[in-house]
Amino acid sequence: MGKMSTAPHRFHTAIHWFRRDLRLHDNPALHAASRAAECVLPVYVVSAWRRQHGWTSAVRQEFLCGCLEELARSLATIGSRLIFRTAERADEALAALLVETGAQAIFFHRDPDPYGIAMEEKVAAMARRHGAEAFGYKDTALHERDELLNGSDRPYRVYGPYARAWAKLEKPAPVPGIRRLLAPPIDVPSEPAPTLAHWQLAPSGADTVAPGERAARARLTRFIEKHLLGYRVAREVPADEASSRLSQDLRWGLLSIREVVARCHELLAGEGSAALDATARESVGKFLGELAWRDFAMQLLFHFPEVLATEFNPAMRGLPWRGWRKNDAAGAADLRRWQAGETGFPLVDAGLRQLRATGFMHNRVRIVVAMFLTKDLRLHWRAGERFFSQRLVDGEIANNNMNWQWCAGTGADAAPYFRIQNPWTQSARHDPHGDYIRRWLPELRDVPAAKLHAPPAGPRERLAPNYPLPMVEHGAAREETLAMFQQHLQEQRQK
Ligand SMILES: Cc1cc2nc3c(=O)[nH]c(=O)nc-3n(C[C@H](O)[C@H](O)[C@H](O)COP(=O)(O)OP(=O)(O)OC[C@H]3O[C@@H](n4cnc5c(N)ncnc54)[C@H](O)[C@@H]3O)c2cc1C
């Protein structure tokens, strides 16, 4: 990012631009601003779009509003006030604030995605024009950008070696929380905290986890105390709800990734660690490995931003996916059935209904649902990527893209295209008693588990009167998908 200095100076007033770091504890940029300036003006720039948005929807905005409300309250308790400004572009809102307040610096955290990075560059240029300085800090990832390169100084494309190198790097330590923040002596006008009405959205009706920093920290403690030591096995059982459920907290920065890792390391090396058996240690290691996947996704997007527009693997570009081009009515209808959770495959439908009801879906089920979309329905992974990013409260541009491309077989280190999961087998393996399925599909409440994991023998054998028959036959769909990939790859070779 151009010439953005990171050494703090002494300022009278600095702006802290809150982005995806909606917390006061371990907030490096806010901490640095509070050290470098006498007065700090915390600002959140509210986006100006209305009604429809390709990458978000009511459930995410509701969650965001809850987080912002709490952040504003927390700032008030330390003598500060969160300023809200609506703008098409953050740099415009920040420019107005520089002029109004005479602030000499803007502090913020760097973003891993190309849109965020482009905005940071605009903000830095704008600050220079106003004679102010801009300071960008690392926060979202543990290791970002060029911090981790392979032996040839190139970005890693494969997770295994990346994760091994990642594990060896010293992890950044948390910074102290902010106890007091002096506001500028002038009255800076603020809009009210946004509500759904701001974007002309109706309530989603979804029952999400509680928003805000306080609830996120309680989730972290609960996970560490209750589930972390059994994570390796329990994470694969959707009915157990034993994964951390911290993804939205990491997405919106309600938790600091450094604190999460520090708590794990404390467990492994601190008092009482001698009592941990090998399984418990493996579980903590597995959990840290998932956090490495998160960093991996962010560094992939940083180095290969083209993945937002096309397949990571050039050989997989131009596949004739369904449901993406205009005038593909059959594809569009299949996509709607999948989105509604009416495919007739209980585990797939349960996942999509969980998503609708809570803004979350279990990881194992996400994989099944995504593989079903791409490999059974042959619908474009981008349709799934878009739907997830609109509906998942944890929807995260880098993670979502990498995982969709992984499932589609087009991505970095992806599942090979010919390894096509059988959704019935997955269902029997990960929800053997059907508890997860029945939780989200009450119409199947009375169906015995064995019947949930196999297609009905015929149209008269429906699982329930109001539950659809499977929309495809898996074996036939698998053959068609293999043929699609093989023909495409053959055409590529002939080019
Ligand atoms: C098709 C698909 C789309 C996905 N989209 C997203 C998304 O938009 N946002 C998102 O945060 N995760 C996404 N994931 C990854 C994963 O499903 C979620 O992070 C996880 O289910 C969140 O639940 P948890 O916090 O209980 O996870 P845990 O199992 O407790 O994992 C801890 C943390 O590690 C990170 N993590 C876990 N798995 C992955 C992974 N495969 N890739 C990257 N990071 C991971 C998350 O930050 C998570 O909170 C997607 C996975 C698939 C298959």
Side-chain angles (χ1 to χ4, degrees):
M1 178 191 309
K3 273 202 194 147
M4 196 178 282
S5 45
T6 47
H9 301 279
R10 198 76 206 160
F11 304 108
H12 179 262
T13 302
I15 290 174
H16 175 76
W17 173 30
F18 275 108
R19 306 174 80 195
R20 44 181 295 175
D21 55 335
L22 307 179
R23 65 176 189 281
L24 295 190
H25 77 277
D26 189 17
N27 185 317
L30 184 61
H31 181 254
S34 74
R35 299 272 292 259
E38 280 164 47
C39 305
V40 177
L41 188 77
V43 175
Y44 187 83
V45 182
V46 183
S47 50
W49 57 271
R50 296 283 184 268
R51 289 202 188 100
Q52 294 289 327
H53 194 286
W55 298 97
T56 190
S57 71
V59 65
R60 288 165 58 82
Q61 299 307 110
E62 261 163 357
F63 189 81
L64 169 63
C65 290
C67 298
L68 289 171
E69 261 173 44
E70 191 190 289
L71 180 65
R73 277 199 303 274
S74 305
L75 281 164
T77 64
I78 58 165
S80 181
R81 190 163 73 98
L82 182 55
I83 303 296
F84 293 102
R85 292 286 171 96
T86 300
E88 294 281 343
R89 287 175 32 176
D91 58 328
E92 291 167 359
L94 294 169
L97 282 162
L98 280 184
V99 173
E100 285 170 48
T101 62
Q104 300 106 341
I106 302 178
F107 287 73
F108 60 86
H109 290 126
R110 291 192 285 263
D111 210 289
D113 74 61
Y115 309 116
I117 293 169
M119 186 46 68
E120 284 155 28
E121 284 167 357
K122 288 197 176 81
V123 167
M126 175 282 291
R128 272 195 300 274
R129 283 197 304 278
H130 284 81
E133 289 188 58
F135 298 93
Y137 287 79
K138 176 169 82 166
D139 180 57
T140 308
L142 281 159
H143 303 300
E144 62 168 16
R145 304 191 171 194
D146 286 337
E147 238 181 287
L148 208 52
L149 298 172
N150 67 17
S152 330
D153 268 356
R154 311 273 307 152
Y156 285 94
R157 293 159 175 263
V158 178
Y159 171 76
Y162 173 85
R164 282 190 289 280
W166 183 93
K168 284 186 200 139
L169 274 193
E170 195 181 333
K171 299 290 166 276
V175 300
I178 312 287
R179 293 182 189 284
R180 183 121 196 93
L181 212 55
L182 199 62
I186 52 165
D187 187 23
V188 182
S190 169
E191 295 165 12
T195 62
L196 275 190
H198 176 90
W199 299 284
Q200 297 174 356
L201 294 170
S204 70
D207 185 15
T208 66
V209 293
E213 177 178 8
R214 187 189 298 245
R217 301 195 82 189
R219 276 190 285 276
L220 174 61
T221 299
R222 185 170 172 274
F223 171 65
I224 291 176
E225 287 173 356
K226 217 173 152 203
H227 294 302
L228 177 55
L229 300 184
Y231 174 80
R232 192 180 64 80
V233 175
R235 70 187 285 270
E236 295 293 0
V237 187
D240 283 1
E241 298 188 345
S243 63
S244 71
R245 289 305 314 268
L246 298 178
S247 46
Q248 66 289 321
D249 307 330
L250 293 170
R251 160 64 186 85
W252 300 98
L254 308 177
L255 279 179
S256 118
I257 186 71
R258 291 168 301 280
E259 187 186 11
V260 176
V261 169
R263 298 272 299 265
C264 291
H265 286 167
E266 213 173 277
L267 196 72
L268 287 174
E271 219 179 285
S273 62
L276 294 185
D277 62 14
T279 316
R281 285 180 178 278
E282 266 177 41
S283 277
V284 183
K286 184 77 191 156
F287 179 70
L288 289 169
E290 296 309 313
L291 301 181
W293 269 111
R294 181 176 175 274
D295 269 12
F296 182 57
M298 289 179 186
Q299 69 93 34
L300 276 181
L301 183 56
F302 178 76
H303 289 290
F304 307 100
E306 67 271 19
V307 293
L308 295 181
T310 187
E311 284 71 14
F312 179 91
N313 179 351
M316 294 299 181
R317 292 179 188 161
L319 278 156
W321 298 108
R322 302 169 60 235
W324 194 243
R325 287 180 301 274
K326 283 202 174 97
N327 306 325
D328 178 3
D334 283 355
L335 179 61
R336 281 196 296 277
R337 270 187 81 168
W338 176 87
Q339 288 173 339
E342 290 171 0
T343 67
F345 285 73
L347 186 62
V348 173
D349 293 342
L352 287 156
R353 306 265 190 102
Q354 180 186 23
L355 176 59
R356 200 166 280 269
T358 66
F360 180 81
M361 193 192 299
H362 186 276
N363 177 60
R364 179 50 60 185
V365 187
R366 289 186 203 199
I367 296 173
V368 174
V369 159
M371 290 248 178
F372 182 80
L373 181 97
T374 51
K375 306 289 175 58
D376 283 81
L377 301 180
R378 276 183 293 119
L379 293 170
H380 204 308
W381 59 269
R382 298 203 64 186
E385 179 197 28
R386 170 176 285 218
F387 187 67
F388 267 29
S389 70
Q390 287 171 329
R391 300 301 179 103
L392 281 170
V393 175
D394 68 28
E396 208 287 328
I397 193 163
N399 285 7
N400 199 34
N401 182 277
M402 177 192 72
N403 280 287
W404 271 99
Q405 295 226 37
W406 188 89
C407 292
T410 63
D413 197 10
Y417 77 87
F418 48 81
R419 208 170 291 157
I420 295 183
Q421 279 186 352
N422 181 330
W424 299 114
T425 318
Q426 290 298 310
S427 179
R429 181 173 305 155
H430 297 291
D431 193 27
H433 308 297
D435 296 336
Y436 175 83
I437 291 175
R438 287 196 207 88
R439 187 172 309 152
W440 300 109
L441 300 179
E443 63 268 45
L444 303 185
R445 196 173 36 222
D446 301 323
V447 180
K451 286 199 165 190
L452 294 171
H453 310 310
R460 295 214 183 134
E461 303 290 319
R462 279 174 179 276
L463 294 180
N466 56 350
Y467 187 70
L469 288 165
M471 63 189 284
V472 289
E473 197 273 302
H474 172 68
R478 178 178 183 281
E479 291 307 316
E480 285 177 40
T481 302
L482 284 175
M484 172 183 88
F485 274 100
Q486 280 156 359
Q487 186 176 345
H488 173 77
L489 290 173
Q490 195 176 356
E491 284 166 11
Q492 295 284 302
R493 280 193 291 272
Q494 284 162 359
K495 267 186 193 167

